[in-house]
Amino acid sequence: MRKIPNTFGIDVTAARFLEYSSEDELRKLIAEGRVIAPVLHVGGGSNLLFVKDYEGTILHSRIDALEITAEDEERVSVRVGAGVVWDDFVALCVERHWYGAENLSLIPGEVGASAVQNIGAYGVEVKDLITSVETINMEGEKRVYRVDECSYSYRKSLFKQPEMKTVFVTFVNFCLSKREHYTLDYGTIRQELEKYPVVNIETLRRVIIDIRRNKLPDPKVLGNAGSFFMNPVVPREQFEALQREYKDMPHYDVGADSVKIPAAWMIEQCGWKGKALGPAAVHDRQALVLVNLGGASGADILALSDAVRASVRAKFGIDIHPEVCLIDS
Ligand code: EPU
């Protein structure tokens, strides 16, 4: 039995926990029959909620290679091991003035998980930077998925589908720009940048880090998994009906017919911000984040999640869904 690392700080174990540092090592583990089902591949454990001990095999990549595969005046292509810490990769891109990843600064987790989850923040999603994803399946066979084969959408990908549970990401290929360009239109980014004498990739990373540190609790201090819920997308008519009642409801258009509503705002309107249910609480600075106040079990967090969802459903008629993966088998 081995403790499973997870940023919620929940005390859970796995029957088997296997790590590998190369594709060959992974193939060997598979060939030796050590990867016994059920199998769960984890990144940094920053987007998982374990409701009970895991009876199967937890796999974790420690592939930490990073190589430039192509480069010209405009762009650089890099092949990055699934086990590289995501923010170390962003820091390297910023240092080398490779543009595109800086808005995704300080997102917890690892490169492999970033491609599974399609991480996103401040107007950028990782799918915008990915060119292909390299994988190995339970037969030890390699397959490379081009980005257009990955079915990317908001916090979703092909790799999250149940039948892909035993397809393991080993490397992710990214393309970054060498031409200076920024995505600045989300929230208060432009305003925050005014604190600095110049707008450049370093100051933008600084601003993103400051915004995140202000709102999102440090998992080392207060266990959490970032946003617990996804922001729901509703038909425009439903939004317009709600807007008649809630005039200041924030929203973002998603195409002509749909509107995304921040779940954090609805949760706050329901009075949950900063409230606790036993040892689990809704964070007092960002209502989308559930936190472990200390000693919470996965079931405690789930009980809070269910109570929050029920309130939002009762007040707004909208179902919100966890973004965090629940592991309950
Ligand atoms: N808001 C509230 N109350 C709150 C927090 C937010 O009313 O307590 C409202 C505000 O109106 C604000 C709006 O919600 O304008 C959006 O808030 P914010 O910019 O903080 O973003 P979010 O929708 O709550 C999403 C991502 C975050 C990402 C930020 C910034 C999801 C599920 N979450 O949060 O991602 O960092 O945008 O881009 O889409 C994560 O996935 O773990 C994560 C932290």
Side-chain angles (χ1 to χ4, degrees):
M1 291 301 220
R2 162 100 183 255
K3 285 218 187 299
I4 308 173
N6 67 99
T7 58
F8 255 122
I10 286 166
D11 204 4
V12 272
T13 57
R16 282 166 300 282
F17 188 100
L18 303 173
E19 295 190 301
Y20 56 91
S21 302
S22 65
E23 289 185 330
D24 281 347
E25 266 183 48
L26 172 58
R27 283 203 186 89
K28 193 159 168 260
L29 289 172
I30 293 168
E32 287 170 352
R34 294 175 64 194
V35 186
I36 302 164
V39 182
L40 177 70
H41 201 297
V42 301
S46 52
N47 204 47
L48 302 174
L49 177 64
F50 288 92
V51 181
K52 59 202 242 327
D53 287 337
Y54 193 67
E55 307 294 342
T57 308
I58 302 265
L59 272 178
H60 180 230
S61 166
R62 297 188 77 96
I63 303 179
D64 62 358
L66 192 149
E67 58 167 328
I68 294 176
T69 51
E71 188 169 13
D72 61 21
E73 278 183 10
E74 296 274 325
R75 280 177 282 271
V76 58
S77 300
V78 266
R79 179 174 187 246
V80 189
V84 170
V85 171
W86 170 258
D87 194 53
D88 290 352
F89 172 55
V90 177
L92 179 98
C93 293
V94 168
E95 196 185 297
R96 304 227 178 145
H97 286 205
W98 296 341
Y99 295 87
E102 56 282 352
N103 288 33
L104 305 179
S105 288
L106 213 66
I107 295 184
E110 295 168 4
V111 164
S114 78
V116 173
Q117 176 68 6
N118 187 21
I119 57 171
Y122 309 105
V124 176
E125 285 185 328
V126 78
K127 72 166 173 56
D128 306 332
L129 311 171
I130 291 176
T131 51
S132 66
V133 178
E134 300 182 29
T135 65
I136 287 196
N137 68 14
M138 276 294 267
E139 280 70 54
E141 294 158 351
K142 174 130 191 171
R143 174 153 179 207
V144 182
Y145 293 85
R146 288 190 324 266
V147 66
D148 57 298
E149 295 176 304
C150 295
S151 311
Y152 280 126
S153 62
Y154 172 58
R155 299 295 195 276
K156 283 203 185 115
S157 76
L158 172 74
F159 309 107
K160 289 187 91 169
Q161 290 173 13
E163 69 276 14
M164 297 296 279
K165 263 190 160 173
T166 49
V167 172
F168 312 123
V169 175
T170 52
F171 288 90
V172 183
N173 291 285
F174 298 94
C175 182
L176 296 141
S177 171
K178 287 192 181 174
R179 294 256 180 254
E180 186 175 7
H181 76 275
Y182 304 107
T183 303
L184 303 177
D185 287 332
Y186 189 99
T188 56
I189 293 184
R190 278 182 199 278
Q191 202 179 315
E192 300 283 326
L193 270 167
E194 283 169 14
K195 291 182 195 154
Y196 293 88
V198 284
V199 176
N200 60 31
I201 194 166
E202 285 92 2
T203 53
L204 182 49
R205 173 165 164 83
R206 209 46 278 148
V207 160
I208 301 287
I209 288 177
D210 288 346
I211 296 176
R212 291 188 73 93
R213 287 220 171 110
N214 252 322
K215 287 194 184 170
L216 300 168
D218 178 354
K220 288 190 204 96
V221 181
L222 205 54
N224 75 89
S227 298
F228 192 89
F229 301 103
M230 287 193 277
N231 289 324
V233 175
V234 302
R236 184 167 293 281
E237 308 82 74
Q238 188 180 359
F239 163 71
E240 283 169 355
L242 282 165
Q243 202 187 27
R244 282 193 278 279
E245 199 174 339
Y246 304 100
K247 303 248 176 311
D248 56 349
M249 188 173 220
H251 58 280
Y252 314 97
D253 290 342
V254 180
D257 305 329
S258 310
V259 178
K260 190 185 268 189
I261 302 173
W265 181 86
M266 292 191 282
I267 295 168
E268 188 172 342
Q269 295 295 308
C270 291
W272 273 109
K273 195 169 181 172
K275 279 243 180 87
L277 189 66
V282 176
H283 187 47
D284 55 4
R285 274 187 274 160
Q286 169 43 293
L288 207 50
V289 178
L290 303 189
V291 297
N292 175 358
L293 295 174
S297 65
D300 292 328
I301 307 277
L302 198 56
L304 175 61
S305 157
D306 288 344
V308 167
R309 292 175 73 182
S311 299
V312 171
R313 199 177 302 121
K315 191 170 171 71
F316 296 100
I318 294 177
D319 273 320
I320 56 170
H321 297 280
E323 185 223 25
V324 165
C325 303
L326 304 181
I327 313 297
D328 54 6
S329 60

